[in-house]
Amino acid sequence: METYRENENSSTVTEREAAQRLGFSLPTLRRWRYAKTGPTHITVGRSIRYLPADLDRFLAAHRSEDAN
């Protein structure tokens, strides 16, 4: 089991806040989670939370430097 230690004092954000931060709809974020293609998330009971650093990594991983 992995332990998150990068910044143990990081606040988590709700899935609604995560969707807003990423600029996508809540249903899109949920669809990605079910397909296991979205950002890393934390599940506690039925609550879904995201670490802001994980959202930043997700965006960085999908960055494209197209030459126009």
Side-chain angles (χ1 to χ4, degrees), residues 4 6 9 21 25-27 31 36 43 45 48-49 51-52 54 65:
Y4 184 80
E6 185 176 314
N9 296 322
R21 181 178 175 131
S25 69
L26 184 55
R31 204 168 33 253
K36 299 183 192 286
T43 304
I48 304 296
R49 296 289 186 268
L51 290 169
D54 288 338
E65 294 188 23

Side-chain angles (χ1 to χ4, degrees), residues 6-36:
E6 185 176 314
N7 185 354
E8 292 180 342
N9 296 322
S10 289
S11 297
T12 60
V13 296
T14 65
E15 60 181 338
R16 185 174 308 281
E17 292 167 330
Q20 184 176 22
R21 181 178 175 131
L22 293 172
F24 291 94
S25 69
L26 184 55
T28 295
L29 185 62
R30 287 177 176 167
R31 204 168 33 253
W32 288 345
R33 191 172 64 248
Y34 297 137
K36 299 183 192 286

